[in-house]
Short mmCIF file of all heavy atoms in Angstrom, two decimals:
data_model
loop_
_atom_site.label_atom_id
_atom_site.label_comp_id
_atom_site.label_asym_id
_atom_site.label_seq_id
_atom_site.Cartn_x
_atom_site.Cartn_y
_atom_site.Cartn_z
N GLN A 1 -6.55 31.43 34.94
CA GLN A 1 -5.35 31.92 35.71
C GLN A 1 -4.33 32.31 34.57
O GLN A 1 -3.20 31.98 34.88
CB GLN A 1 -4.92 31.00 36.61
CG GLN A 1 -5.98 30.70 37.74
CD GLN A 1 -5.60 29.68 38.68
OE1 GLN A 1 -4.59 29.01 38.56
NE2 GLN A 1 -6.20 29.53 39.74
N SER A 2 -4.67 32.97 33.54
CA SER A 2 -3.67 33.38 32.60
C SER A 2 -3.85 34.89 32.40
O SER A 2 -5.01 35.36 32.27
CB SER A 2 -3.89 32.68 31.27
OG SER A 2 -3.10 33.28 30.26
N PRO A 3 -2.72 35.68 32.42
CA PRO A 3 -2.95 37.15 32.28
C PRO A 3 -3.39 37.61 30.95
O PRO A 3 -3.96 38.73 30.86
CB PRO A 3 -1.49 37.67 32.52
CG PRO A 3 -0.55 36.47 32.18
CD PRO A 3 -1.31 35.28 32.45
N ASP A 4 -3.31 36.79 29.88
CA ASP A 4 -3.95 37.19 28.66
C ASP A 4 -5.29 36.61 28.24
O ASP A 4 -5.78 36.97 27.22
CB ASP A 4 -2.86 36.85 27.53
CG ASP A 4 -2.65 35.27 27.38
OD1 ASP A 4 -2.99 34.64 28.37
OD2 ASP A 4 -2.28 34.77 26.34
N ARG A 5 -5.83 35.95 29.12
CA ARG A 5 -7.24 35.27 28.83
C ARG A 5 -7.98 35.40 30.20
O ARG A 5 -7.58 35.01 31.18
CB ARG A 5 -7.16 33.91 28.44
CG ARG A 5 -6.60 33.77 27.17
CD ARG A 5 -6.57 32.29 26.72
NE ARG A 5 -5.79 32.10 25.34
CZ ARG A 5 -5.18 31.01 25.03
NH1 ARG A 5 -5.18 30.09 25.93
NH2 ARG A 5 -4.55 31.07 23.95
N LEU A 6 -9.31 35.80 30.06
CA LEU A 6 -10.27 35.85 31.14
C LEU A 6 -11.65 35.46 30.71
O LEU A 6 -12.06 35.91 29.73
CB LEU A 6 -10.20 37.31 31.70
CG LEU A 6 -10.98 37.55 33.06
CD1 LEU A 6 -10.16 36.83 34.06
CD2 LEU A 6 -10.94 38.98 33.29
N TYR A 7 -12.14 34.54 31.43
CA TYR A 7 -13.55 34.22 31.13
C TYR A 7 -14.48 34.75 32.06
O TYR A 7 -14.25 35.32 33.05
CB TYR A 7 -13.64 32.61 31.28
CG TYR A 7 -12.65 31.86 30.38
CD1 TYR A 7 -11.43 31.60 30.79
CD2 TYR A 7 -13.02 31.66 29.04
CE1 TYR A 7 -10.50 30.92 29.93
CE2 TYR A 7 -12.18 31.08 28.16
CZ TYR A 7 -10.93 30.66 28.56
OH TYR A 7 -10.04 30.09 27.79
N CYS A 8 -15.82 34.78 31.56
CA CYS A 8 -16.92 35.60 32.31
C CYS A 8 -16.96 35.06 33.75
O CYS A 8 -17.05 36.08 34.63
CB CYS A 8 -18.24 35.58 31.59
SG CYS A 8 -18.80 33.82 31.36
N THR A 9 -16.91 33.79 34.00
CA THR A 9 -16.95 33.51 35.43
C THR A 9 -15.75 33.88 36.35
O THR A 9 -15.80 34.23 37.42
CB THR A 9 -17.07 31.96 35.62
OG1 THR A 9 -16.13 31.32 34.87
CG2 THR A 9 -18.45 31.51 35.08
N GLU A 10 -14.66 33.94 35.54
CA GLU A 10 -13.35 34.36 36.28
C GLU A 10 -13.47 35.83 36.62
O GLU A 10 -12.87 36.38 37.60
CB GLU A 10 -12.15 34.06 35.46
CG GLU A 10 -11.84 32.55 35.31
CD GLU A 10 -10.68 32.39 34.36
OE1 GLU A 10 -10.84 32.63 33.14
OE2 GLU A 10 -9.71 31.77 34.90
N LEU A 11 -14.13 36.63 35.76
CA LEU A 11 -14.13 38.05 36.08
C LEU A 11 -14.97 38.28 37.34
O LEU A 11 -14.60 39.12 38.25
CB LEU A 11 -14.91 38.79 34.88
CG LEU A 11 -15.16 40.27 35.06
CD1 LEU A 11 -13.77 40.94 35.12
CD2 LEU A 11 -15.92 40.82 33.79
N ILE A 12 -16.03 37.61 37.47
CA ILE A 12 -16.78 37.75 38.74
C ILE A 12 -16.05 37.15 40.00
O ILE A 12 -16.03 37.74 40.95
CB ILE A 12 -18.15 36.95 38.63
CG1 ILE A 12 -19.00 37.79 37.51
CG2 ILE A 12 -18.89 36.99 39.96
CD1 ILE A 12 -20.18 37.00 37.13
N PHE A 13 -15.40 36.00 39.78
CA PHE A 13 -14.41 35.45 40.80
C PHE A 13 -13.34 36.48 41.27
O PHE A 13 -13.19 36.66 42.41
CB PHE A 13 -13.80 34.19 40.10
CG PHE A 13 -12.79 33.50 41.07
CD1 PHE A 13 -13.21 32.41 41.95
CD2 PHE A 13 -11.45 33.79 40.93
CE1 PHE A 13 -12.26 31.76 42.61
CE2 PHE A 13 -10.55 33.18 41.72
CZ PHE A 13 -10.99 32.17 42.64
N LEU A 14 -12.72 37.30 40.39
CA LEU A 14 -11.75 38.20 40.63
C LEU A 14 -12.31 39.48 41.20
O LEU A 14 -11.75 40.06 42.16
CB LEU A 14 -10.90 38.46 39.48
CG LEU A 14 -10.12 37.39 38.88
CD1 LEU A 14 -9.47 37.66 37.55
CD2 LEU A 14 -9.06 36.90 39.92
N ALA A 15 -13.58 39.88 40.73
CA ALA A 15 -14.17 41.06 41.29
C ALA A 15 -14.67 40.98 42.60
O ALA A 15 -14.61 41.95 43.51
CB ALA A 15 -15.34 41.52 40.36
N PHE A 16 -15.06 39.76 43.07
CA PHE A 16 -15.71 39.55 44.38
C PHE A 16 -14.58 38.64 45.20
O PHE A 16 -14.91 37.49 45.50
CB PHE A 16 -17.04 38.84 44.37
CG PHE A 16 -18.05 39.87 43.87
CD1 PHE A 16 -18.43 39.87 42.50
CD2 PHE A 16 -18.79 40.70 44.76
CE1 PHE A 16 -19.42 40.80 42.05
CE2 PHE A 16 -19.74 41.45 44.26
CZ PHE A 16 -20.05 41.52 42.89
N ASP A 17 -13.42 39.18 45.35
CA ASP A 17 -12.35 38.35 45.96
C ASP A 17 -12.40 38.04 47.37
O ASP A 17 -11.73 37.21 47.95
CB ASP A 17 -11.04 38.91 45.64
CG ASP A 17 -10.81 40.41 46.28
OD1 ASP A 17 -11.73 40.92 46.69
OD2 ASP A 17 -9.60 40.91 46.30
N THR A 18 -13.39 38.70 48.08
CA THR A 18 -13.69 38.33 49.51
C THR A 18 -14.59 37.15 49.70
O THR A 18 -14.87 36.76 50.78
CB THR A 18 -14.24 39.61 50.15
OG1 THR A 18 -15.55 39.90 49.57
CG2 THR A 18 -13.37 40.71 50.24
N ILE A 19 -15.23 36.70 48.57
CA ILE A 19 -16.04 35.61 48.63
C ILE A 19 -15.30 34.27 48.43
O ILE A 19 -14.50 34.25 47.47
CB ILE A 19 -17.20 35.59 47.59
CG1 ILE A 19 -18.03 36.89 47.96
CG2 ILE A 19 -18.08 34.38 47.55
CD1 ILE A 19 -19.16 37.21 46.95
N ARG A 20 -15.62 33.23 49.24
CA ARG A 20 -15.04 31.98 49.03
C ARG A 20 -15.79 31.18 47.95
O ARG A 20 -16.75 30.51 48.32
CB ARG A 20 -14.85 31.18 50.35
CG ARG A 20 -14.07 29.93 50.32
CD ARG A 20 -13.81 29.45 51.71
NE ARG A 20 -13.19 28.13 51.61
CZ ARG A 20 -11.87 28.03 51.66
NH1 ARG A 20 -11.19 29.01 51.73
NH2 ARG A 20 -11.45 26.76 51.64
N TRP A 21 -15.42 31.19 46.78
CA TRP A 21 -16.15 30.59 45.62
C TRP A 21 -15.97 29.16 45.54
O TRP A 21 -14.83 28.65 45.76
CB TRP A 21 -15.65 31.20 44.31
CG TRP A 21 -16.08 32.62 44.31
CD1 TRP A 21 -15.12 33.79 44.49
CD2 TRP A 21 -17.32 33.24 43.83
NE1 TRP A 21 -15.90 34.90 44.25
CE2 TRP A 21 -17.20 34.64 43.97
CE3 TRP A 21 -18.51 32.74 43.54
CZ2 TRP A 21 -18.22 35.44 43.66
CZ3 TRP A 21 -19.51 33.43 43.27
CH2 TRP A 21 -19.39 34.91 43.29
N LYS A 22 -17.00 28.34 45.19
CA LYS A 22 -16.84 26.87 44.91
C LYS A 22 -16.09 26.76 43.58
O LYS A 22 -16.40 27.55 42.73
CB LYS A 22 -18.19 26.25 44.75
CG LYS A 22 -19.05 26.36 46.01
CD LYS A 22 -20.37 25.60 45.77
CE LYS A 22 -21.32 25.75 46.86
NZ LYS A 22 -20.95 25.32 48.14
N SER A 23 -15.14 25.91 43.56
CA SER A 23 -14.40 25.71 42.24
C SER A 23 -14.00 24.28 42.24
O SER A 23 -14.10 23.53 43.16
CB SER A 23 -13.16 26.71 42.16
OG SER A 23 -12.36 26.56 43.35
N HIS A 24 -13.38 23.95 41.16
CA HIS A 24 -12.75 22.60 41.01
C HIS A 24 -11.38 22.73 40.17
O HIS A 24 -11.23 23.63 39.42
CB HIS A 24 -13.78 21.55 40.45
CG HIS A 24 -14.09 21.91 39.01
ND1 HIS A 24 -15.18 22.87 38.71
CD2 HIS A 24 -13.69 21.55 37.75
CE1 HIS A 24 -15.23 23.10 37.37
NE2 HIS A 24 -14.38 22.20 36.83
N HIS A 25 -10.62 21.70 40.30
CA HIS A 25 -9.24 21.67 39.65
C HIS A 25 -9.55 20.80 38.34
O HIS A 25 -10.03 19.75 38.28
CB HIS A 25 -8.29 20.90 40.56
CG HIS A 25 -6.90 21.17 39.98
ND1 HIS A 25 -6.14 22.41 40.27
CD2 HIS A 25 -6.06 20.53 39.28
CE1 HIS A 25 -5.11 22.38 39.75
NE2 HIS A 25 -4.95 21.15 39.17
N MET A 26 -9.16 21.51 37.14
CA MET A 26 -9.21 20.85 35.89
C MET A 26 -8.21 21.32 34.92
O MET A 26 -7.93 22.60 34.99
CB MET A 26 -10.61 21.16 35.37
CG MET A 26 -11.01 20.43 34.02
SD MET A 26 -12.68 20.35 33.55
CE MET A 26 -12.99 22.01 33.10
N TRP A 27 -7.53 20.55 34.26
CA TRP A 27 -6.50 20.81 33.21
C TRP A 27 -5.46 21.74 33.86
O TRP A 27 -5.11 22.80 33.35
CB TRP A 27 -7.17 21.63 31.99
CG TRP A 27 -8.02 20.73 31.20
CD1 TRP A 27 -7.86 19.38 30.95
CD2 TRP A 27 -9.32 21.15 30.68
NE1 TRP A 27 -8.95 18.90 30.37
CE2 TRP A 27 -9.81 19.93 30.08
CE3 TRP A 27 -9.99 22.37 30.64
CZ2 TRP A 27 -11.00 20.00 29.42
CZ3 TRP A 27 -11.23 22.35 30.03
CH2 TRP A 27 -11.68 21.16 29.40
N GLU A 28 -4.96 21.24 35.06
CA GLU A 28 -3.84 21.84 35.79
C GLU A 28 -4.07 23.32 36.24
O GLU A 28 -3.17 24.13 36.36
CB GLU A 28 -2.62 21.91 34.96
CG GLU A 28 -2.15 20.40 34.66
CD GLU A 28 -0.88 20.30 33.84
OE1 GLU A 28 -0.19 21.31 33.79
OE2 GLU A 28 -0.67 19.28 33.28
N ARG A 29 -5.37 23.62 36.48
CA ARG A 29 -5.72 24.96 36.95
C ARG A 29 -7.11 24.99 37.74
O ARG A 29 -7.89 23.98 37.59
CB ARG A 29 -5.93 26.03 35.86
CG ARG A 29 -6.97 25.60 34.82
CD ARG A 29 -6.98 26.61 33.71
NE ARG A 29 -7.47 27.91 34.25
CZ ARG A 29 -7.79 29.00 33.54
NH1 ARG A 29 -7.46 28.90 32.27
NH2 ARG A 29 -8.27 29.96 34.02
N GLU A 30 -7.29 25.88 38.53
CA GLU A 30 -8.42 26.06 39.32
C GLU A 30 -9.45 26.74 38.42
O GLU A 30 -9.27 27.68 37.78
CB GLU A 30 -8.28 26.89 40.57
CG GLU A 30 -9.20 26.72 41.71
CD GLU A 30 -9.21 25.18 42.30
OE1 GLU A 30 -8.19 24.53 42.14
OE2 GLU A 30 -10.25 24.79 42.69
N THR A 31 -10.66 26.14 38.40
CA THR A 31 -11.71 26.54 37.52
C THR A 31 -13.06 26.83 38.26
O THR A 31 -13.31 25.95 39.16
CB THR A 31 -11.96 25.48 36.44
OG1 THR A 31 -10.61 25.27 35.66
CG2 THR A 31 -13.04 25.87 35.31
N ILE A 32 -13.80 27.84 37.80
CA ILE A 32 -15.20 27.95 38.31
C ILE A 32 -16.17 27.92 37.25
O ILE A 32 -15.99 28.62 36.25
CB ILE A 32 -15.21 29.24 39.12
CG1 ILE A 32 -16.56 29.45 39.76
CG2 ILE A 32 -14.84 30.43 38.27
CD1 ILE A 32 -16.62 30.50 40.77
N SER A 33 -17.08 27.06 37.40
CA SER A 33 -18.22 26.86 36.33
C SER A 33 -19.29 27.91 36.60
O SER A 33 -19.54 28.43 37.79
CB SER A 33 -18.70 25.51 36.34
OG SER A 33 -19.50 25.23 37.50
N PRO A 34 -20.12 28.17 35.64
CA PRO A 34 -21.34 29.09 35.88
C PRO A 34 -22.16 28.45 36.90
O PRO A 34 -22.67 29.23 37.81
CB PRO A 34 -21.94 29.13 34.52
CG PRO A 34 -20.92 28.89 33.49
CD PRO A 34 -20.05 27.88 34.24
N ASP A 35 -22.36 27.25 36.97
CA ASP A 35 -23.23 26.55 38.04
C ASP A 35 -22.62 26.84 39.44
O ASP A 35 -23.34 27.09 40.46
CB ASP A 35 -23.55 25.10 37.72
CG ASP A 35 -24.52 24.86 36.66
OD1 ASP A 35 -24.95 25.85 36.05
OD2 ASP A 35 -24.75 23.72 36.41
N GLU A 36 -21.33 26.60 39.56
CA GLU A 36 -20.71 26.90 40.90
C GLU A 36 -20.71 28.41 41.18
O GLU A 36 -21.01 28.62 42.45
CB GLU A 36 -19.12 26.55 40.74
CG GLU A 36 -18.92 24.96 40.56
CD GLU A 36 -17.53 24.57 40.25
OE1 GLU A 36 -16.97 25.28 39.48
OE2 GLU A 36 -17.16 23.49 40.72
N LEU A 37 -20.72 29.26 40.32
CA LEU A 37 -20.77 30.56 40.67
C LEU A 37 -22.15 30.95 41.02
O LEU A 37 -22.36 31.57 42.16
CB LEU A 37 -20.48 31.44 39.30
CG LEU A 37 -20.49 32.94 39.54
CD1 LEU A 37 -19.22 33.46 38.82
CD2 LEU A 37 -21.70 33.52 38.91
N VAL A 38 -23.23 30.46 40.49
CA VAL A 38 -24.54 30.69 40.93
C VAL A 38 -24.83 30.07 42.32
O VAL A 38 -25.33 30.71 43.21
CB VAL A 38 -25.63 30.04 39.92
CG1 VAL A 38 -26.95 30.17 40.48
CG2 VAL A 38 -25.49 30.94 38.66
N LEU A 39 -24.42 28.81 42.51
CA LEU A 39 -24.62 28.14 43.89
C LEU A 39 -23.96 28.93 44.94
O LEU A 39 -24.50 29.01 46.02
CB LEU A 39 -24.04 26.77 43.84
CG LEU A 39 -24.93 25.74 43.02
CD1 LEU A 39 -24.25 24.39 42.87
CD2 LEU A 39 -26.43 25.58 43.44
N THR A 40 -22.67 29.37 44.74
CA THR A 40 -21.92 30.23 45.65
C THR A 40 -22.72 31.49 46.04
O THR A 40 -23.01 31.89 47.13
CB THR A 40 -20.58 30.56 45.34
OG1 THR A 40 -19.92 29.21 45.00
CG2 THR A 40 -19.81 31.23 46.41
N ALA A 41 -23.22 32.23 44.83
CA ALA A 41 -23.93 33.49 45.04
C ALA A 41 -25.22 33.32 45.89
O ALA A 41 -25.58 34.18 46.68
CB ALA A 41 -24.18 33.97 43.61
N LEU A 42 -25.95 32.21 45.66
CA LEU A 42 -27.14 31.93 46.47
C LEU A 42 -26.91 31.79 47.88
O LEU A 42 -27.80 32.01 48.76
CB LEU A 42 -27.86 30.70 45.85
CG LEU A 42 -28.53 30.83 44.53
CD1 LEU A 42 -29.03 29.50 44.05
CD2 LEU A 42 -29.60 31.91 44.49
N GLU A 43 -25.61 31.29 48.26
CA GLU A 43 -25.41 30.96 49.62
C GLU A 43 -24.77 32.33 50.29
O GLU A 43 -24.60 32.30 51.45
CB GLU A 43 -24.33 29.86 49.84
CG GLU A 43 -24.82 28.56 49.42
CD GLU A 43 -23.78 27.49 49.12
OE1 GLU A 43 -22.61 27.87 49.56
OE2 GLU A 43 -24.13 26.28 48.89
N ASN A 44 -24.40 33.41 49.64
CA ASN A 44 -23.82 34.59 50.00
C ASN A 44 -24.68 35.70 50.14
O ASN A 44 -25.44 36.08 49.14
CB ASN A 44 -22.53 34.77 49.16
CG ASN A 44 -21.66 35.77 49.69
OD1 ASN A 44 -21.98 36.95 49.79
ND2 ASN A 44 -20.51 35.36 50.13
N GLN A 45 -24.70 36.39 51.21
CA GLN A 45 -25.49 37.62 51.36
C GLN A 45 -24.93 38.83 50.58
O GLN A 45 -25.69 39.75 50.52
CB GLN A 45 -25.64 37.96 52.87
CG GLN A 45 -26.24 36.75 53.74
CD GLN A 45 -27.65 36.57 53.22
OE1 GLN A 45 -28.40 37.48 52.95
NE2 GLN A 45 -27.96 35.26 53.07
N GLN A 46 -23.68 38.75 50.04
CA GLN A 46 -23.27 39.87 49.42
C GLN A 46 -23.83 40.18 48.02
O GLN A 46 -23.57 41.21 47.32
CB GLN A 46 -21.73 39.91 49.36
CG GLN A 46 -21.02 39.99 50.66
CD GLN A 46 -19.55 39.83 50.53
OE1 GLN A 46 -19.05 38.69 50.33
NE2 GLN A 46 -18.74 40.95 50.59
N ILE A 47 -24.36 39.08 47.41
CA ILE A 47 -24.80 39.17 46.04
C ILE A 47 -26.30 38.94 45.93
O ILE A 47 -26.82 37.96 46.61
CB ILE A 47 -24.14 38.13 45.21
CG1 ILE A 47 -22.58 38.18 45.24
CG2 ILE A 47 -24.66 37.97 43.78
CD1 ILE A 47 -21.76 37.18 44.55
N VAL A 48 -26.91 39.76 45.27
CA VAL A 48 -28.47 39.67 45.02
C VAL A 48 -28.73 39.61 43.61
O VAL A 48 -28.42 40.61 42.83
CB VAL A 48 -29.03 40.88 45.70
CG1 VAL A 48 -30.53 40.77 45.34
CG2 VAL A 48 -28.89 41.03 47.06
N PRO A 49 -29.21 38.51 43.04
CA PRO A 49 -29.47 38.42 41.61
C PRO A 49 -30.55 39.53 41.30
O PRO A 49 -31.59 39.55 41.95
CB PRO A 49 -30.12 37.03 41.41
CG PRO A 49 -29.70 36.32 42.70
CD PRO A 49 -29.54 37.31 43.74
N VAL A 50 -30.37 40.28 40.25
CA VAL A 50 -31.33 41.39 39.95
C VAL A 50 -32.21 41.01 38.71
O VAL A 50 -33.29 41.50 38.52
CB VAL A 50 -30.54 42.64 39.65
CG1 VAL A 50 -29.97 43.27 40.85
CG2 VAL A 50 -29.59 42.61 38.46
N VAL A 51 -31.84 40.00 37.93
CA VAL A 51 -32.58 39.53 36.78
C VAL A 51 -32.04 38.19 36.33
O VAL A 51 -30.90 37.94 36.41
CB VAL A 51 -32.65 40.55 35.57
CG1 VAL A 51 -31.27 40.68 34.86
CG2 VAL A 51 -33.70 40.27 34.65
N LEU A 52 -32.99 37.45 35.93
CA LEU A 52 -32.66 36.06 35.37
C LEU A 52 -33.28 36.02 33.84
O LEU A 52 -34.41 36.35 33.66
CB LEU A 52 -33.35 35.01 36.13
CG LEU A 52 -33.23 33.62 35.52
CD1 LEU A 52 -31.74 33.07 35.58
CD2 LEU A 52 -34.12 32.66 36.23
N ILE A 53 -32.27 35.91 33.03
CA ILE A 53 -32.69 35.84 31.52
C ILE A 53 -32.17 34.57 31.03
O ILE A 53 -31.12 34.13 31.10
CB ILE A 53 -31.91 37.00 30.78
CG1 ILE A 53 -32.44 38.36 31.44
CG2 ILE A 53 -32.36 36.89 29.29
CD1 ILE A 53 -31.72 39.58 30.88
N GLY A 54 -33.10 33.85 30.38
CA GLY A 54 -32.87 32.68 29.64
C GLY A 54 -33.89 32.35 28.69
O GLY A 54 -34.76 33.21 28.39
N PRO A 55 -33.89 31.03 27.98
CA PRO A 55 -34.81 30.80 26.92
C PRO A 55 -36.23 30.98 27.60
O PRO A 55 -36.60 30.12 28.42
CB PRO A 55 -34.44 29.50 26.56
CG PRO A 55 -33.07 29.28 26.96
CD PRO A 55 -32.83 30.13 28.23
N GLY A 56 -37.12 31.79 27.08
CA GLY A 56 -38.41 31.93 27.52
C GLY A 56 -38.50 32.42 29.01
O GLY A 56 -39.70 32.38 29.52
N VAL A 57 -37.49 32.96 29.58
CA VAL A 57 -37.58 33.51 30.99
C VAL A 57 -36.81 34.85 31.12
O VAL A 57 -35.79 34.96 30.59
CB VAL A 57 -36.76 32.47 31.90
CG1 VAL A 57 -36.85 33.00 33.29
CG2 VAL A 57 -37.34 31.14 31.90
N GLU A 58 -37.63 35.83 31.73
CA GLU A 58 -37.07 37.09 32.10
C GLU A 58 -37.66 37.53 33.34
O GLU A 58 -38.82 37.85 33.35
CB GLU A 58 -37.30 38.12 30.96
CG GLU A 58 -36.50 39.34 31.14
CD GLU A 58 -36.69 40.33 29.97
OE1 GLU A 58 -36.63 39.83 28.81
OE2 GLU A 58 -36.93 41.55 30.30
N GLU A 59 -37.03 37.22 34.38
CA GLU A 59 -37.62 37.36 35.72
C GLU A 59 -36.78 38.33 36.53
O GLU A 59 -35.64 38.11 36.94
CB GLU A 59 -37.56 35.95 36.42
CG GLU A 59 -38.25 35.94 37.79
CD GLU A 59 -39.73 36.14 37.69
OE1 GLU A 59 -40.31 35.75 36.76
OE2 GLU A 59 -40.20 36.65 38.80
N PRO A 60 -37.39 39.54 36.85
CA PRO A 60 -36.71 40.47 37.78
C PRO A 60 -36.56 39.90 39.25
O PRO A 60 -37.54 39.29 39.76
CB PRO A 60 -37.50 41.72 37.70
CG PRO A 60 -38.76 41.31 37.28
CD PRO A 60 -38.71 40.06 36.43
N PHE A 61 -35.52 40.17 39.83
CA PHE A 61 -35.17 39.62 41.23
C PHE A 61 -35.74 38.22 41.56
O PHE A 61 -36.56 37.96 42.28
CB PHE A 61 -35.78 40.70 42.29
CG PHE A 61 -35.21 41.97 42.15
CD1 PHE A 61 -35.85 43.01 41.41
CD2 PHE A 61 -33.95 42.32 42.61
CE1 PHE A 61 -35.31 44.20 41.26
CE2 PHE A 61 -33.43 43.57 42.48
CZ PHE A 61 -34.06 44.49 41.84
N PRO A 62 -35.15 37.24 40.75
CA PRO A 62 -35.62 35.89 40.98
C PRO A 62 -35.17 35.43 42.40
O PRO A 62 -34.12 35.65 42.81
CB PRO A 62 -34.82 35.14 39.82
CG PRO A 62 -33.59 36.00 39.62
CD PRO A 62 -34.01 37.32 39.95
N GLY A 63 -35.88 34.58 42.88
CA GLY A 63 -35.75 33.88 44.24
C GLY A 63 -34.85 32.76 44.10
O GLY A 63 -34.56 32.23 43.02
N GLY A 64 -34.20 32.40 45.17
CA GLY A 64 -33.29 31.26 45.12
C GLY A 64 -33.93 30.01 44.74
O GLY A 64 -33.30 29.15 44.10
N GLU A 65 -35.16 29.73 45.17
CA GLU A 65 -36.01 28.54 44.71
C GLU A 65 -36.07 28.48 43.19
O GLU A 65 -35.81 27.35 42.69
CB GLU A 65 -37.24 28.43 45.50
CG GLU A 65 -37.27 28.49 46.92
CD GLU A 65 -36.69 27.08 47.36
OE1 GLU A 65 -37.10 26.05 46.77
OE2 GLU A 65 -35.95 27.10 48.28
N MET A 66 -36.35 29.50 42.64
CA MET A 66 -36.50 29.49 41.07
C MET A 66 -35.16 29.19 40.36
O MET A 66 -35.17 28.38 39.53
CB MET A 66 -37.05 30.87 40.72
CG MET A 66 -37.11 30.92 39.17
SD MET A 66 -37.73 32.57 38.68
CE MET A 66 -38.08 32.27 36.96
N ILE A 67 -34.13 29.80 40.96
CA ILE A 67 -32.79 29.59 40.25
C ILE A 67 -32.40 28.20 40.53
O ILE A 67 -31.91 27.61 39.53
CB ILE A 67 -31.77 30.67 40.93
CG1 ILE A 67 -32.09 32.04 40.55
CG2 ILE A 67 -30.41 30.31 40.43
CD1 ILE A 67 -31.40 33.18 41.20
N ARG A 68 -32.56 27.62 41.66
CA ARG A 68 -32.05 26.35 42.06
C ARG A 68 -32.89 25.22 41.19
O ARG A 68 -32.34 24.31 40.57
CB ARG A 68 -32.32 26.04 43.53
CG ARG A 68 -31.19 26.54 44.35
CD ARG A 68 -31.30 26.00 45.77
NE ARG A 68 -30.45 26.59 46.68
CZ ARG A 68 -30.62 27.81 47.24
NH1 ARG A 68 -31.81 28.34 47.24
NH2 ARG A 68 -29.69 28.31 48.01
N SER A 69 -34.21 25.57 40.87
CA SER A 69 -35.06 24.67 40.04
C SER A 69 -34.51 24.55 38.73
O SER A 69 -34.52 23.56 38.02
CB SER A 69 -36.38 25.03 40.12
OG SER A 69 -36.76 26.24 39.31
N LEU A 70 -34.03 25.67 38.27
CA LEU A 70 -33.50 25.80 36.79
C LEU A 70 -32.13 25.12 36.67
O LEU A 70 -31.81 24.42 35.66
CB LEU A 70 -33.33 27.27 36.37
CG LEU A 70 -34.64 28.01 36.07
CD1 LEU A 70 -34.47 29.43 35.78
CD2 LEU A 70 -35.43 27.36 35.01
N LEU A 71 -31.41 25.13 37.83
CA LEU A 71 -30.00 24.39 37.79
C LEU A 71 -30.32 22.85 37.80
O LEU A 71 -29.55 22.28 37.32
CB LEU A 71 -29.27 24.87 38.96
CG LEU A 71 -28.63 26.19 38.90
CD1 LEU A 71 -28.01 26.53 40.36
CD2 LEU A 71 -27.59 26.28 37.87
N GLU A 72 -31.43 22.49 38.29
CA GLU A 72 -31.66 20.99 38.43
C GLU A 72 -32.04 20.42 37.07
O GLU A 72 -32.11 19.27 36.84
CB GLU A 72 -32.70 20.72 39.50
CG GLU A 72 -32.06 21.03 40.83
CD GLU A 72 -33.25 20.99 41.92
OE1 GLU A 72 -34.36 20.57 41.68
OE2 GLU A 72 -32.92 21.22 43.02
N LYS A 73 -32.50 21.29 36.11
CA LYS A 73 -33.00 20.68 34.84
C LYS A 73 -31.84 20.19 34.00
O LYS A 73 -30.74 20.56 33.88
CB LYS A 73 -33.66 21.81 34.03
CG LYS A 73 -35.06 22.11 34.70
CD LYS A 73 -35.81 23.20 33.98
CE LYS A 73 -37.11 23.44 34.65
NZ LYS A 73 -37.84 24.40 33.88
#
């Protein structure tokens, strides 16, 4: 929440301002973590994951089950 700094999760948070994002308060500001961003996106019909890229993984149109299993690791 600073006009001179923006993090990748905040960019998505601001771009999709009609979505009620999960977030938490930390260091005197509201923060959204990558995990919170993904969990909210999985619950929302406005966002469809088009690709999942990670160590040893490149999956087009990953399903919610696959994404949730990776978050649990």
Side-chain angles (χ1 to χ4, degrees):
Q1 295 177 352
S2 171
D4 62 338
R5 292 185 187 147
L6 189 66
Y7 299 94
C8 58
T9 54
E10 290 175 301
L11 179 61
I12 295 169
F13 177 87
L14 294 171
F16 292 91
D17 61 347
T18 59
I19 295 174
R20 187 171 174 90
W21 295 99
K22 297 179 189 306
S23 62
H24 63 279
H25 196 78
M26 185 167 71
W27 297 319
E28 300 182 14
R29 61 181 288 181
E30 205 59 28
T31 304
I32 183 169
S33 72
D35 286 1
E36 289 167 329
L37 187 131
V38 170
L39 289 171
T40 303
L42 289 174
E43 296 171 1
N44 193 293
Q45 299 298 317
Q46 292 178 287
I47 298 175
V48 177
V50 294
V51 67
L52 173 67
I53 299 173
V57 178
E58 190 172 316
E59 182 72 30
F61 299 101
E65 295 293 320
M66 179 184 191
I67 295 170
R68 282 187 186 90
S69 73
L70 293 171
L71 286 173
E72 293 172 1
K73 290 183 179 183

